[in-house]
Amino acid sequence: MMDSNIIPDKKLCNAVISGWARSGSDDAILHAEEVCNRMDALGIGPDGVCFNSLINVYAKSNHPEKSVRSLQVLERMEKRRVAPTSVTYTLLFEACQDDDEFLMNVFESCIENGLLDEKLQDSFMDYGPACIKERLGGSIPYTWSENANRGPGGMSRNQIKMNMKRGSTGKDVSSFGWAR
C-alpha cells in the first residue's frame, strides 16, 4: 500500500484485510496485523469492519493461539470503543470453537452485550460445550439478544421498518440504503 500512489483509507484497508482472510496464506495474520498497524500510523483508526475482518483472519487460520489472539482483537475493539456486532461474535465463535474455555468467554461477552442472534444460538447449541447448551435450553432472557442483528448504524433493518410503521424515526427507510 505504501509504495503505490494510492492513498489508503478505511475501505481499502478493510478490503486488504478481508483479502488476507480469504487467501489461505500462512502469513495472512502477519500481513493483516501489519495493515491494522499501518492504519494506526496513518491516523486511520480501524473500525468494526476492520476488526471483524481481522478476527476472520484468525478464524480461518491454523494458528495455535487463534482463540487467544481473536479475543485480544475483541479487547482492542473495546478499548477503542468500537462496538461489537452479532457478526463479531459469529467470527469469534468460529475462531474459538475448538476450545471450550474460550468459547465460554465468547458466549458470556455475547450475552452481556445482548448480541445473541439466532445463528449464534444454533451454533452454540450444535457445537458449544454442555454448560452453554444447558443455559440455552430454556427460555432465553430478552437482554441476551436485545441488540442482535444490528447494522452498522445501531438498528437492524427490521427495527428501522418497525420504527417507520410507528412513525418514530422521521426518516425514510431508503435513506439508510436498505430499502428493497
Side-chain angles (χ1 to χ4, degrees), residues 9-27:
D9 61 6
K10 281 185 186 182
K11 203 175 218 181
L12 176 63
C13 293
N14 290 338
V16 171
I17 294 169
S18 292
W20 281 114
R22 292 187 300 275
S23 73
S25 169
D26 292 339
D27 295 331

Side-chain angles (χ1 to χ4, degrees), residues 125-146:
M125 284 301 289
D126 292 343
Y127 306 107
C131 59
I132 292 176
K133 291 178 184 181
E134 287 173 19
R135 291 180 69 186
L136 290 171
S139 65
I140 297 170
Y142 171 76
T143 56
W144 288 11
S145 60
E146 66 186 338

Side-chain angles (χ1 to χ4, degrees), residues 2-135:
M2 299 300 282
D3 299 332
S4 69
N5 291 327
I6 298 172
I7 299 171
D9 61 6
K10 281 185 186 182
K11 203 175 218 181
L12 176 63
C13 293
N14 290 338
V16 171
I17 294 169
S18 292
W20 281 114
R22 292 187 300 275
S23 73
S25 169
D26 292 339
D27 295 331
I29 292 171
L30 177 70
H31 293 294
E33 287 282 2
E34 181 181 341
V35 172
C36 282
N37 291 337
R38 284 188 181 182
M39 288 176 76
D40 279 336
L42 293 169
I44 312 169
D47 59 8
V49 174
C50 173
F51 285 122
N52 284 349
S53 296
L54 186 56
I55 293 168
N56 193 30
V57 173
Y58 283 108
K60 295 192 180 310
S61 77
N62 293 321
H63 194 283
E65 294 182 352
K66 68 182 185 178
S67 296
V68 174
R69 302 280 292 273
S70 63
L71 286 171
Q72 288 172 343
V73 174
L74 179 63
E75 289 173 9
R76 284 164 59 186
M77 290 177 74
E78 291 168 350
K79 284 180 185 173
R80 292 172 181 254
R81 299 186 191 269
V82 175
T85 64
S86 295
V87 172
T88 306
Y89 286 103
T90 300
L91 295 167
L92 285 167
F93 178 90
E94 292 173 16
C96 298
Q97 70 183 4
D98 296 331
D99 188 318
D100 287 352
E101 181 182 341
F102 286 103
L103 204 53
M104 190 65 194
N105 291 337
V106 170
F107 178 76
E108 292 297 333
S109 180
C110 179
I111 63 173
E112 180 180 308
N113 285 297
L115 292 168
L116 186 68
D117 65 7
E118 287 182 30
K119 181 178 180 177
L120 280 165
Q121 288 178 37
D122 291 345
S123 295
F124 281 117
M125 284 301 289
D126 292 343
Y127 306 107
C131 59
I132 292 176
K133 291 178 184 181
E134 287 173 19
R135 291 180 69 186

Side-chain angles (χ1 to χ4, degrees), residues 157-169 173:
R157 185 176 300 146
N158 288 336
Q159 289 169 324
I160 292 168
K161 287 180 182 177
M162 289 303 292
N163 282 338
M164 281 304 302
K165 288 180 183 176
R166 289 187 220 126
S168 62
T169 64
V173 175

